[in-house]
Amino acid sequence: MAKLEPLKSGYYVWQYVPSMVAADKGTIYTAVCYWRLEIIGYATRIDSHNNTGKLMPYCIQAVFILLGPALFAASVYMVLARIIRSVHGETKSVLPLNWVTKTFVLSDVVTFVVQAGGSGMMVNSSLTNIGQGVVIAGLCLQVLSFCLFIITAYVFQTRMRRNPTAESLDIGIPWKQHLYSLYAISGLVLIRSVFRVVEYALGNEGYLLSNEWTLYVFDSVPMFAAMVIFGVWYPSDLKPFLGDRASQTSQTIESKA
């Protein structure tokens, strides 16, 4: 029977024996959705069930589960630009359209690097506190980025409602549906990120890191729901470039004529 064990130094990195059942389910749902980082993270938690006295399995699962959502966020950021293009709402965007994706994806890359750096520092026991602070900073930046992203999307929607484009009135372009799905996904990621901020702020002896159920309720469940929403309402029916290409082709033909 698995039991909670300390490292050779006597330090307990785990505050509980990780559940194999919960980690199994986490592995299955992430495998279905191709979240490679989180697949590794949850799969390693399964291995950690019988290896709570080893540091490497703990570090792998902690880092990969922590960083997985950052890559997912990049995909979400790209969708807003796609929505704006689909209704030719470039003039309604807060940022120049070419900078909408670049700005938020760049912030996502920064948060990813900061969190990864902090996680690496936490592997060294002498740098654990500094590493936690760095991870918290990265998570706070991620929360700020998503808040600004939601504001950017909302301002665009408000401007479109006041002065809609002809394309936005086309019932064949479900841009509002995809915008609402972005709001829902962003809200779920925010819940997860705020949870992580509080978790690391409370420290290794805090309630959140000492009780496994909090990880699955406030991290796994929100991210699973976000994946489902993104998968069901993936904006494949938005064709942002077809109209532009058709227009360019038409203009080219006319100029040649």
Side-chain angles (χ1 to χ4, degrees), residues 238-253:
L238 297 181
K239 307 297 181 182
F241 301 110
L242 292 181
D244 294 341
R245 287 177 179 172
S247 176
Q248 292 172 2
T249 302
S250 177
Q251 291 176 6
T252 301
I253 293 174

Side-chain angles (χ1 to χ4, degrees), residues 97-114:
L97 193 56
N98 290 335
W99 284 97
V100 170
T101 299
K102 292 178 182 178
T103 300
F104 290 109
V105 170
L106 178 60
S107 70
D108 193 58
V109 171
V110 173
T111 62
F112 181 91
V113 172
V114 172

Side-chain angles (χ1 to χ4, degrees), residues 87-88 92 157-169 175-176:
V87 293
H88 290 256
K92 309 298 189 300
Q157 182 183 13
T158 301
R159 291 177 176 176
M160 288 295 292
R161 183 164 56 249
R162 293 174 180 172
N163 186 22
T165 62
E167 291 79 8
S168 68
L169 300 176
W175 65 278
K176 289 184 179 179

Side-chain angles (χ1 to χ4, degrees), residues 5-7 11-15 52-55 58 204 209:
E5 298 175 336
L7 301 178
Y11 180 74
Y12 284 87
V13 293
W14 291 96
Q15 304 304 310
T52 53
K54 295 182 179 180
L55 181 61
Y58 173 81
N204 202 47
L209 276 174

